[in-house]
């Protein structure tokens, strides 16, 4: 699987070509880029890198993006780092589990999730979204201040997973909904929709091939524990 990286205006994005559903990331060829056989992964010339946050920081440094994405100011940068450190085992985990429990298991893998497990997953998502709103966003325009940063990019990307799964994440949360609109405007609506096109159509994905399902199940179960 090839991975395409581009810097369009102020927006850093990573777009995988079609191939995840076919299990291409599990191939020996992809293992040359990421031995853990996970996405995202990057190959820049002879240099390979995995982990989404590391990739974003690498691209921000390489292309010398405007300061607001990853500020030079020590305390402002620390706030970005604080969010990036928090989200890995909290919001990201909740959003990923929600997508898999609501859509990917029943639709893609043909496996039903127990109602009590789904309820616990959605309750955990609600807790972490509330922390995002109350502790990180508060009354600011963006997560770390008046300008968009990598923290906002990572946060909105995670939240679009449950949105793609049909969860009304922004309903009843006016501050978070207003933040969503500001992030979309800062990125540009067309580019924002392009970046999330696949996840917003995930409920329409066809069932997995049995061979692919067999390969994916152990990894998926480990990933969403």
């Amino acid at each position: 699987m090839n991975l395409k990286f581009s810097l369009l205006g102020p927006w850093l994005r990573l777009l995988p070509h079609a191939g995840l559903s076919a299990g291409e990331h599990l191939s020996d060829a992809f293992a040359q880029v990421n031995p853990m056989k996970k996405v995202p992964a990057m190959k820049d010339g002879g240099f390979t890198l995995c982990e989404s946050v590391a990739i974003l920081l690498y691209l921000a440094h390489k292309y010398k993006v405007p300061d607001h994405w990853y500020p030079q100011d020590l305390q402002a940068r620390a706030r970005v780092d604080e969010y990036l450190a928090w989200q890995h085992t909290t919001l990201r985990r909740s959003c990923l589990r929600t997508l898999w429990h609501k859509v990917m298991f029943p639709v893609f893998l043909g496996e039903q999730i127990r109602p009590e497990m789904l309820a616990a997953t959605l309750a955990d998502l609600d807790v972490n979204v509330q922390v995002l709103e109350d502790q990180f966003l508060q009354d600011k325009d963006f997560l770390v201040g008046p300008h968009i940063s990598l923290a906002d990019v990572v946060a909105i990307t995670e939240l679009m997973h449950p949105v793609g799964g049909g969860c009304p994440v922004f309903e009843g949360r006016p501050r978070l909904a207003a933040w969503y609109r500001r992030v979309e405007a800062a990125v540009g609506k067309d580019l924002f929709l392009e970046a999330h096109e696949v996840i917003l159509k995930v409920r329409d994905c066809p069932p997995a091939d049995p061979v692919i399902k067999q390969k994916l199940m152990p990894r998926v179960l480990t990933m969403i524990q």
Side-chain angles (χ1 to χ4, degrees):
M1 185 196 331
N2 292 321
L3 289 173
K4 175 184 177 184
F5 295 87
S6 55
L7 186 67
L8 299 180
W11 176 247
L12 285 169
R13 63 177 182 162
L14 176 150
L15 294 177
H17 290 163
L20 280 176
S21 60
E24 290 184 27
H25 59 300
L26 303 177
S27 68
D28 291 338
F30 188 78
Q32 299 303 309
V33 179
N34 185 352
M36 293 180 285
K37 297 184 178 180
K38 293 182 179 181
V39 294
M42 180 192 75
K43 187 171 184 180
D44 183 17
F47 178 70
T48 60
L49 187 66
C50 57
E51 297 298 333
S52 57
V53 169
I55 291 169
L56 284 173
L57 294 178
Y58 174 86
L59 293 173
H61 290 307
K62 177 172 180 175
Y63 291 102
K64 297 181 174 57
V65 298
D67 186 69
H68 61 86
W69 288 108
Y70 194 52
Q72 292 297 313
D73 178 80
L74 180 62
Q75 293 185 358
R77 176 172 289 197
R79 290 300 183 199
V80 175
D81 292 337
E82 180 182 42
Y83 176 77
L84 296 177
W86 173 80
Q87 59 90 30
H88 273 295
T89 57
T90 49
L91 187 67
R92 182 179 188 277
R93 179 178 180 274
S94 295
C95 291
L96 190 62
R97 284 173 60 89
T98 298
L99 177 66
W100 276 92
H101 286 176
K102 281 187 65 67
V103 177
M104 299 304 287
F105 269 114
V107 176
F108 185 60
L109 297 178
E111 301 285 340
Q112 296 304 310
I113 296 297
R114 299 192 314 274
E116 60 269 24
M117 178 178 288
L118 178 58
T121 295
L122 295 177
D124 186 61
L125 174 67
D126 186 68
V127 168
N128 285 317
V129 171
Q130 196 65 50
V131 172
L132 172 70
E133 185 173 26
D134 292 342
Q135 302 300 318
F136 289 96
L137 180 60
Q138 300 178 0
D139 294 318
K140 303 187 296 293
D141 286 344
F142 296 97
L143 293 184
V144 299
H147 304 293
I148 192 170
S149 73
L150 292 182
D152 300 282
V153 172
V154 172
I156 199 65
T157 299
E158 299 301 346
L159 288 175
M160 295 307 288
H161 284 73
V163 169
C167 292
V169 172
F170 301 103
E171 286 187 13
R173 300 180 186 275
R175 285 185 297 162
L176 203 65
W179 166 79
Y180 168 90
R181 292 190 293 271
R182 286 190 291 270
V183 172
E184 184 183 61
V187 169
K189 187 171 184 178
D190 290 343
L191 186 54
F192 186 91
L193 291 175
E194 180 186 349
H196 296 104
E197 180 180 7
V198 173
I199 201 68
L200 292 175
K201 295 180 179 179
V202 70
R203 284 178 286 179
D204 300 325
C205 68
D209 178 273
V211 175
I212 300 302
K213 176 181 175 179
Q214 186 177 17
K215 290 181 178 180
L216 284 175
M217 282 297 286
R219 290 178 172 272
V220 169
L221 291 174
T222 299
M223 176 178 63
I224 66 172
Q225 290 300 320

